[in-house]
Amino acid sequence: MSSENYPRRTLHLPHSPLFATPVHYMDHNDRAQLSYEKAKAIGLSYDMTIDDVLSLSPKFWQLHNDPAVLLDGGSITLLTIQYNLCAGTIARYAKRRPELIPLVEDLLHYRKHGQYMMTELGHGLDIGNIETTATLLPSGEFILNSPTPAAAKFMPPTVPAGLPCVAVVFAKLIVNGDDRGHRPFVVPLNDGKQMCTGVQSRLLPYRGGPHPLTHSMTTFHNVRLPRGALLGSLEKPADMHANLMDIIHRITIGTLALGCLALPFMQCYATIGTLYSLRRTIGSPTKRTPILTFRTQQAPILAAAANAYVMQALQRWAIETFCDTRLDGRVRHGVAAIFKGVMVQHSQQGALGVSERCGAQGLFAHNQMSCLHNEMRGIAIAEGDVLGLAIRLVNELLLGRYTMPPTTNPDSLLARHEAGLFAELRDIIKGVPHHRSAEVNRLILPHCQPMMEAIGHRMAYDAAVAQGVRPALVELYVANVVTLDAAWYAEHAGLGKAAQHALATRAMDAVLPVLGELVKEMDVFAYVNAPIVSDERWGEFVDGLKTFEGNARVEAFSEPRGALGVHPEMVRSHL
């Protein structure tokens, strides 16, 4: 499934000392520093070039499919910021400014760390109103400032981490008191040991769950920048919004790229769930039965497997469509948004469904699933919050500003579902005075994400059918999706409760005999370090645990202190 299309450039890493050293007892600060080293090792395995980053070569997409993310999600976060957002933004301007090429090369070869600083504490997704300013001085230099506490750049890990760090910082360009819109600036942040003059980084407490990173709040106080720090023109753009969308174009690429990371996540859940459920047995010592025998155990694992295969087909189609520059840019952005939405949705379903069937073992970070679930929560927000993407996309589709690629299977259940939901929303918007009215807020916005996901489910089905994914897997995917809006299918597709159950049962019966083959084809076992997948790994894990022993003696029962073993005064006090 995976290795044929996505060469494993990092197969040498899982058993290297850098990745194989247990981290579960390690201090969070040390783990965060280790993630930088892991990011560097993964990045250098790809030998990424400026052309790879600018042309979005197959190698670029392979990086965002690499199962190394299963070993340390923090390292991939750092890597995609550095390669896609930071280096990718600067490389675009390097075509006209060759003096920027050495900086891009330093970033791609990990001689410097790179960050991307757009989101501000007080504005979040409202990027059009960020407050950071870069004011042109008579000398031609700029002064970079965070004018209010709300202007602090939020999340990028900017504390010193061993290598000099530069960032692409977005700020309002001020020329002679005139706001000329947002621009990206190249700003040195630290030399690897201490912050640069005027740059202040406040280390946030570590997130709960995923691999720790040094997420920070960063502010600028009269930071002097040379004229060359500005990426772009001093001229005021004719369309401020269009300018903003243009200068943050790598965000849209990141929307699709981060969605790709969900594929190895789903493959990991299916692999761990299958192996654990075969290893875990119940019954008497002479008659042990694997828990995979039970349909309640099979269902979430089979669902994760089917979703992974269908999502891989969607991924191939989405990348090809997104990279087709002949298409309307808004359509390409829509494809990226839809793709990310359904990838996140199915990944999180797999995380919860499979980990819960692993009982208490599924709660622990060392078994990967709970940690990956938390990593995906961050991915859902980064490079385009899924809900925000859905609201923008669905409203624009309802207003008829553009259309998404049509279905190739209009009679399929999922295409009918998509069309039905869209017709319902279109009827609503026809009766409202304005697309920003209170009625739209109440009646349209809550349905935008389910609508976008429905489009994605249909696109996934079309892609899977076109690419020849096993029919049983496609049928199981359809059965899985039907459960997400069971009432609609009962009301509008004539598929009642019993028929829905029969659809799922028939599909699971067909997929179960080939589950082992499917997991093998996923080809992620080398990156699975969960100890519950085999007796050998579990034994090694237990041998490595901190052990506490001693010679203490504790009396379990105190000496009697009266006829009933308590003081009479205590009895009276309670009466």
Side-chain angles (χ1 to χ4, degrees), residues 81-109:
I81 291 172
Q82 178 145 335
Y83 279 8
N84 176 50
L85 298 180
C86 184
T89 297
I90 300 171
R92 184 189 192 193
Y93 295 91
K95 291 188 293 185
R96 296 187 300 273
R97 293 181 53 189
E99 74 274 13
L100 293 172
I101 292 176
L103 174 56
V104 179
E105 294 285 357
D106 282 347
L107 292 167
L108 295 179
H109 292 90

Side-chain angles (χ1 to χ4, degrees), residues 268-500:
C268 179
Y269 301 141
T271 300
I272 293 175
T274 300
L275 296 177
Y276 173 75
S277 300
L278 287 170
R279 171 178 169 260
R280 181 71 163 162
T281 58
I282 61 171
S284 66
T286 58
K287 190 177 181 180
R288 305 292 291 172
T289 301
I291 61 174
L292 190 58
T293 304
F294 302 102
R295 181 49 56 99
T296 48
Q297 196 73 16
Q298 298 164 3
I301 299 169
L302 293 172
N307 289 349
Y309 276 84
V310 173
M311 287 300 101
Q312 186 173 52
L314 175 64
Q315 182 186 87
R316 293 191 187 105
W317 176 85
I319 291 174
E320 179 181 358
T321 305
F322 181 83
C323 291
D324 186 352
T325 56
R326 296 170 299 177
L327 293 176
D328 186 327
R330 297 170 299 177
V331 173
R332 295 167 63 208
H333 186 280
V335 168
I338 293 166
F339 173 75
K340 181 182 178 183
V342 292
M343 292 294 278
V344 168
Q345 180 188 38
H346 292 319
S347 177
Q348 296 300 66
Q349 289 172 332
L352 293 175
V354 175
S355 65
E356 287 176 359
R357 297 275 55 80
C358 293
Q361 294 279 21
L363 300 174
F364 287 91
H366 58 253
N367 285 320
Q368 292 181 277
M369 294 175 287
S370 65
C371 185
L372 293 176
H373 176 263
N374 279 288
E375 300 282 8
M376 187 54 63
R377 290 185 64 193
I379 288 172
I381 298 168
E383 271 87 296
D385 179 275
V386 169
L387 178 58
L389 293 172
I391 290 172
R392 175 185 174 187
L393 172 70
V394 172
N395 274 281
E396 291 184 339
L397 293 177
L398 289 170
L399 292 171
R401 293 177 178 172
Y402 52 91
T403 59
M404 299 311 297
T407 180
T408 52
N409 298 279
D411 295 328
S412 70
L413 278 173
L414 304 191
R416 290 161 59 192
H417 180 240
E418 173 198 8
L421 294 188
F422 193 78
E424 292 171 9
L425 295 181
R426 189 170 50 202
D427 288 343
I428 293 172
I429 208 164
K430 285 179 181 178
V432 302
H434 192 271
H435 71 279
R436 296 186 184 275
S437 66
E439 289 87 349
V440 169
N441 179 41
R442 291 186 298 107
L443 302 176
I444 298 291
L445 263 58
H447 301 286
C448 286
Q449 186 168 339
M451 181 69 250
M452 185 176 79
E453 290 166 348
I455 301 172
H457 299 152
R458 182 270 297 172
M459 287 179 169
Y461 175 86
D462 288 348
V465 170
Q467 295 175 34
V469 175
R470 302 184 197 209
L473 291 171
V474 178
E475 185 176 19
L476 181 52
Y477 177 74
V478 172
N480 295 337
V481 170
V482 165
T483 64
L484 300 175
D485 196 359
W488 188 93
Y489 289 96
E491 293 176 5
H492 301 285
L495 202 66
K497 184 176 181 181
Q500 292 180 25

